[in-house]
Amino acid sequence: MTRIRYIEPVDSNLHEQSRKDLMNKISSPNTTIEVCNIRLPKELSGPMLPTVPLYINEIISEVLKAEREECDAVIIGCCSDPGLPEAQRATNIPVIGPLQAAAATAAGRGLRLGILCPDEHAWKTTANWLRSNLRYYGLDSMVGPIRFVPMRSPGETAELIGNTNLNAEDMDNIFRKKLHENAVPVAKKLLEEDESKAVLFGCTLWGGMIHEIQDDIEALCLDPIITAVHFAEYQASLRF
């Protein structure tokens, strides 16, 4: 039996049950997946990664806890892979991030990867963070454009980051709507302008939805959560 722990790097258990349902549905029969979230100061609470990276130590603490409790692998549930290089250095079990998993998957297919991200965070900061991590992984040469998907239509002003009034259904509805209406056109334009043949839909809040739009995109469409789970299962199988 393989035991994987999925760490939500936010102080919210809003998506705990839906994450469990999705991952246990798509994982191998001999894999069990647990979900937890970290604890943060009240001002950093909410369903999306805070803008201030005070969560790194909490992520590493949860990774070390998972190792002590004999998990076989850990997934950090954010496509920016927050704290991943540090967590990998701190433990002897595989620690997986969706970004690294997707880039390695595309590289294994010989495909150049394009990445789509929600525009809720500062786009230049996010893009530079992703590029920095990709250089650390040795996979930066496999990744082409990073594009940002508008998460608000004209007239919409509601914040997503730090918004503790949204329930799980609200978040799913928002991200599904923007996936279909905004992300698909951005993906198509990316593929027209670049030689990329794979696309990571780079937010775990899109996890479980990518099959809905993959027939509209002429590329390998990578679901961040599903890709990370399969990569974690593979890494956990490589015991030493």
Side-chain angles (χ1 to χ4, degrees):
M1 181 66 71
T2 299
R3 184 180 171 203
I4 297 173
R5 185 165 297 172
Y6 181 97
I7 300 172
E8 293 271 18
V10 295
D11 192 351
S12 169
N13 64 356
L14 200 62
H15 301 285
E16 181 175 348
Q17 192 57 52
S18 62
R19 292 283 186 268
K20 284 181 183 177
D21 292 344
L22 170 62
M23 291 187 285
N24 284 302
K25 179 180 178 181
I26 59 90
S27 62
S28 301
N30 66 337
T31 298
T32 299
I33 301 180
E34 309 161 357
V35 178
C36 70
N37 59 279
I38 62 174
R39 295 284 181 259
L40 293 171
K42 185 177 180 181
E43 62 271 18
L44 298 178
S45 296
M48 293 187 69
L49 197 72
T51 54
V52 181
L54 298 178
Y55 40 75
I56 301 296
N57 286 349
E58 297 300 322
I59 292 172
I60 295 171
S61 294
E62 286 294 335
V63 170
L64 294 173
K65 181 181 177 184
E67 182 179 35
R68 290 195 304 270
E69 294 178 354
E70 300 184 341
C71 291
D72 298 295
V74 175
I75 298 170
I76 297 175
C78 175
C79 287
S80 298
D81 291 0
L84 183 64
E86 295 80 9
Q88 289 175 334
R89 288 197 290 267
T91 184
N92 291 315
I93 62 173
V95 186
I96 308 303
L99 174 65
Q100 185 182 37
T105 298
R109 295 280 295 271
L111 302 177
R112 178 173 164 92
L113 179 69
I115 300 174
L116 303 187
C117 300
D119 69 350
E120 283 299 295
H121 294 86
W123 71 270
K124 287 187 179 181
T125 299
T126 300
N128 277 277
W129 185 7
L130 299 186
R131 297 285 185 200
S132 176
N133 279 347
L134 289 162
R135 286 192 294 273
Y136 172 78
Y137 307 148
L139 292 166
D140 52 310
S141 64
M142 299 301 301
V143 176
I146 299 173
R147 298 285 185 264
F148 289 81
V149 176
M151 294 303 292
R152 302 184 203 183
S153 299
E156 292 179 343
T157 58
E159 294 282 349
L160 295 178
I161 297 172
N163 190 333
T164 56
N165 296 318
L166 294 169
N167 59 37
E169 185 178 1
D170 291 335
M171 291 295 290
D172 282 350
N173 288 339
I174 291 169
F175 273 78
R176 178 168 278 106
K177 184 172 187 288
K178 301 309 178 186
L179 174 67
H180 285 266
E181 294 182 359
N182 295 353
V184 168
V186 174
K188 288 181 175 180
K189 192 169 191 301
L190 180 156
L191 293 167
E192 288 172 2
E193 297 175 346
D194 188 79
E195 66 269 30
S196 295
K197 296 185 72 176
V199 178
L200 169 64
F201 289 82
C203 182
T204 53
L205 290 169
W206 281 325
M209 300 179 186
I210 305 309
H211 69 279
E212 299 173 10
I213 53 89
Q214 62 186 10
D215 289 343
D216 298 324
I217 308 294
E218 293 187 16
L220 176 66
C221 295
L222 296 175
D223 183 299
I225 293 180
I226 294 174
T227 305
V229 168
H230 291 324
F231 199 72
E233 289 182 307
Y234 166 67
Q235 289 289 345
S237 74
L238 305 175
R239 304 182 188 277
F240 68 94

